[in-house]
Amino acid sequence: MSTDVLNDPLHEVLSRWQAAFDGHQTDAMADLFTPDALFQGFGPETLSGRDAVRGYYAAVPDHRRAHLGNVHGYRIGEHVAGGFADVTFRDPTGWEAPVHLSLVLQRDGGSWRIRQYHVSRIAADH
C-alpha cells in the first residue's frame, strides 16, 4: 500500500469526517456514509442508513471535537478499503473519550463513502 496520504482513501474520508464532525455539520456527516451503512457509535444499538447517522450526530453536543491519532488503512481492489484510527473525542468541559475507530469504505459514485463504522471505547487502566 502506498504511504502517500493523497492516494489513501481512509485518510481522505477521515479528514472530511473530522471537518464535518468538528463543524457539527450533520448533513455533511450523513453524506459521508453509503445509503445502507451500518453504524455502531457509543450507543448500544447498531444503526443503519444515512438518516439514522444524521440523527446520531445531531444529538452530539456542538462543542465536541474529534482529534485523530494514528490511522492505518488498506485497500482491497478499486472499490473497497478500510482500516483503523485512534480518535479522542473532547469538549471544553474536560470530557474526553479515547476510542478505536474501524471503518470499511466503498467507492460510491466516484467518492469514497463509509459502509461500516464501529467505535470501540478504550477503557482507562485502573
Side-chain angles (χ1 to χ4, degrees):
M1 181 181 91
S2 169
T3 57
D4 182 3
V5 172
L6 296 176
N7 293 323
D8 180 353
L10 188 62
H11 279 89
E12 184 262 323
V13 167
L14 284 174
S15 176
R16 291 189 291 138
W17 173 85
Q18 182 181 24
F21 184 91
D22 288 355
H24 201 68
Q25 300 167 339
T26 56
D27 288 337
M29 291 297 293
D31 190 53
L32 292 171
F33 290 79
T34 63
D36 61 348
L38 294 177
F39 182 94
Q40 177 67 58
F42 282 99
E45 66 258 348
T46 300
L47 305 175
S48 180
R50 285 184 180 149
D51 287 339
V53 169
R54 183 182 295 105
Y56 178 90
Y57 284 116
V60 173
D62 291 358
H63 57 276
R64 193 157 291 165
R65 301 290 178 264
H67 302 271
L68 291 174
N70 293 326
V71 176
H72 303 281
Y74 61 87
R75 280 181 85 156
I76 303 174
E78 291 298 311
H79 299 287
V80 178
F84 301 91
D86 294 326
V87 179
T88 302
F89 295 100
R90 295 186 179 116
D91 70 29
T93 68
W95 178 87
E96 184 173 283
V99 303
H100 294 301
L101 180 62
S102 62
L103 300 169
V104 175
L105 307 177
Q106 178 179 340
R107 189 185 295 268
D108 178 34
S111 305
W112 288 98
R113 288 198 163 72
I114 301 167
R115 170 82 183 208
Q116 185 172 318
Y117 175 104
H118 182 263
V119 167
S120 178
R121 195 158 185 174
I122 301 169
D125 291 335
H126 296 285

